[in-house]
Amino acid sequence: MTANAKIARRPPVLAIIGATGAVGVDLLRCLERRRFPVAELRLLASPRSAGKRLPFMGLPHVVASLGEESFAGVDIALFSAGSATAKRFAPVAVAAGAIVIDNSSAFRMAEDVPLVVPEINATEIARHAGIIANPNCVAITTAVPLWPIHRRNPIQRIVLASYQAASGAGAAAMEELLQATRAYLDGRPYEPRVFGHPAAFNLFSHDTAIDPATGYNAEETKVMAETRKIFADPGMRISATCVRVPVLRAHSLAITLTCARPIGADEVRRLLADAPGIRIVDDGASNHFPMPLEASGRDEILVGRIRRDASDDDGRSVALFAVGDQLLKGAALNAVEIAEHLL
Ligand SMILES: NC(=O)c1ccc[n+]([C@@H]2O[C@H](COP(=O)([O-])OP(=O)(O)OC[C@H]3O[C@@H](n4cnc5c(N)ncnc54)[C@H](OP(=O)(O)O)[C@@H]3O)[C@@H](O)[C@H]2O)c1
């Protein structure tokens, strides 16, 4: 596979594959908000959505059914339609001359595919061979606040627990949380269709399969492997516990990290204060810390509860709480930021 590092034409012809989904709709809003230059926009989804209209820059755009012929003349193809669709159609898009930015996990760990969070490793984009991968949303929400610390005082170990919103499983899962909540409040039974367990007034281990060899589920395995790849640190020790909670959007993370040298809470606060993509929300006096409701619709990852880990006598460990809108920085926004680097 060969490809130009940047696109030749500006403004580019853009395709969104999965335009009707939770990430797809936010991709449209991010492109609008950031005034991304677009010569032509092609909206693609499954045959179920063919003929639907979605607004972009005040004009309705008709959704077409994805097919082999969809990519003729496309410069950048933003995929957010799951792994199976990406595996099947990303090579078709690349063969037609497009650069693919994929939100699924299909190519993230492939050697020749850069896994990019622009604040951290934008230089990786140039080595793409047609496909650039957007990392897992928990990996992005972990990596962005930890990178400024890691650069100053290498992080050797991360232990994290996630509290993941329903929308992380797509538009249908968001709808399921709403319907299940209404049914619960009305005292009606509700049979889950998307999740394996009741979503309302409940939480459960992430809805991906457990690897019997390790005991970790697929989400946790992705978070651990992808964080190592983003930080270009294959030896970094990471353990994740991923949990689904009854929140509509924005994932929350409780993270404890251990650095090579002693580090204090004030130093972490200083390192994060001016870092891109982060907003500190750490007001102990009024018990105001990062919350999904306040992170929803925001580009920045909110970080607070920054404190020394009392269980580490060496003073090398810090605990913090980070919340990010996983449909934005965890998916659509990060993909659009990568696309901006291709212009
Ligand atoms: N949700 C998140 O927070 C998040 C975060 C990071 C990454 N991602 C990744 O982003 C991707 C999309 O996630 P999502 O949450 O937006 O899911 P979603 O709401 O379920 O949307 C899926 C989209 O893919 C389309 N699609 C499904 N099968 C297709 C097919 N065979 N051919 C063409 N289009 C097809 C759907 O079209 P129809 O409407 O026609 O069915 C829809 O537009 C997934 O790979 C997911 O892992 C999601």
Side-chain angles (χ1 to χ4, degrees):
M1 217 164 25
T2 56
N4 293 324
K6 295 209 171 210
I7 53 145
R9 194 171 13 186
R10 191 194 154 115
V13 173
L14 212 68
I16 299 182
I17 300 87
T20 50
V23 175
V25 167
D26 269 302
L27 277 170
L28 285 167
R29 298 292 81 81
C30 280
L31 292 165
E32 279 180 342
R33 246 182 335 113
R34 297 175 73 88
R35 303 197 171 283
F36 192 93
V38 179
E40 181 198 329
L41 181 65
R42 236 170 264 179
L43 302 185
L44 301 159
S46 81
R48 294 179 290 275
S49 300
K52 261 191 188 169
R53 282 160 196 270
L54 295 174
F56 181 69
M57 300 302 275
L59 294 173
H61 282 62
V62 179
V63 178
S65 178
L66 176 63
E68 297 274 337
E69 71 300 335
S70 298
F71 300 100
V74 169
D75 297 302
I76 301 176
L78 297 166
F79 273 71
S80 65
S83 284
T85 303
K87 281 183 187 150
R88 167 85 180 79
F89 285 99
V92 177
V94 173
I99 299 176
V100 168
I101 301 170
D102 181 33
N103 269 294
S104 82
S105 60
F107 306 104
R108 288 179 189 150
M109 295 310 293
E111 183 55 42
D112 65 343
V113 174
L115 185 65
V116 176
V117 180
E119 291 90 334
I120 299 173
N121 60 352
T123 51
E124 278 285 284
I125 294 170
R127 72 167 187 88
H128 77 82
I131 300 175
I132 302 161
N134 217 38
N136 169 282
C137 43
V138 174
I140 294 178
T141 313
T142 301
V144 169
L146 265 48
W147 179 246
I149 304 169
H150 186 63
R151 287 179 70 187
R152 187 62 66 91
N153 187 346
I155 295 173
Q156 296 181 330
R157 181 169 184 239
I158 300 168
V159 178
L160 72 89
S162 74
Y163 309 73
Q164 295 184 223
S167 54
M174 248 171 140
E175 189 52 35
E176 173 147 312
L177 175 57
L178 291 171
Q179 287 186 15
T181 303
R182 278 189 207 108
Y184 187 98
L185 293 174
D186 292 348
R188 286 183 283 112
Y190 181 88
E191 196 55 47
R193 286 183 283 263
V194 179
F195 294 122
H197 303 286
F201 303 99
N202 190 27
L203 57 81
F204 44 87
S205 183
H206 192 275
D207 37 291
T208 44
I210 297 280
D211 176 352
T214 64
Y216 286 95
N217 63 41
E219 180 81 348
E220 293 159 353
T221 306
K222 283 182 212 169
V223 171
M224 297 188 292
E226 293 180 26
T227 305
R228 290 188 195 104
K229 181 168 175 178
I230 296 163
F231 281 12
D233 187 349
M236 183 178 264
R237 289 175 291 151
I238 312 180
S239 181
T241 302
C242 292
V243 172
R244 197 67 83 180
V245 297
V247 162
L248 273 179
R249 63 189 282 168
H251 290 351
S252 305
L253 306 177
I255 303 174
T256 301
L257 57 97
T258 303
C259 292
R261 302 182 299 277
I263 187 162
D266 286 343
E267 187 180 351
V268 168
R269 231 175 257 115
R270 264 197 313 278
L271 288 171
L272 298 187
D274 298 323
I278 293 168
R279 183 183 160 86
I280 304 243
V281 180
D282 207 14
D283 180 359
S286 55
N287 201 27
H288 187 185
F289 299 112
M291 290 183 275
L293 275 182
E294 289 187 354
S296 293
R298 292 191 77 109
D299 287 351
E300 306 97 338
I301 291 170
L302 310 183
V303 183
R305 298 296 324 278
I306 302 168
R307 62 206 189 277
R308 271 179 75 158
D309 172 13
S311 70
D312 178 6
D313 293 339
D314 295 341
R316 294 187 295 124
S317 302
V318 166
L320 54 82
F321 195 67
V323 183
D325 189 327
Q326 93 293 340
L327 289 169
L328 289 176
K329 186 57 189 170
L333 173 64
N334 198 69
V336 171
E337 288 171 341
I338 294 171
E340 286 169 349
H341 279 271
L342 297 174
L343 296 178

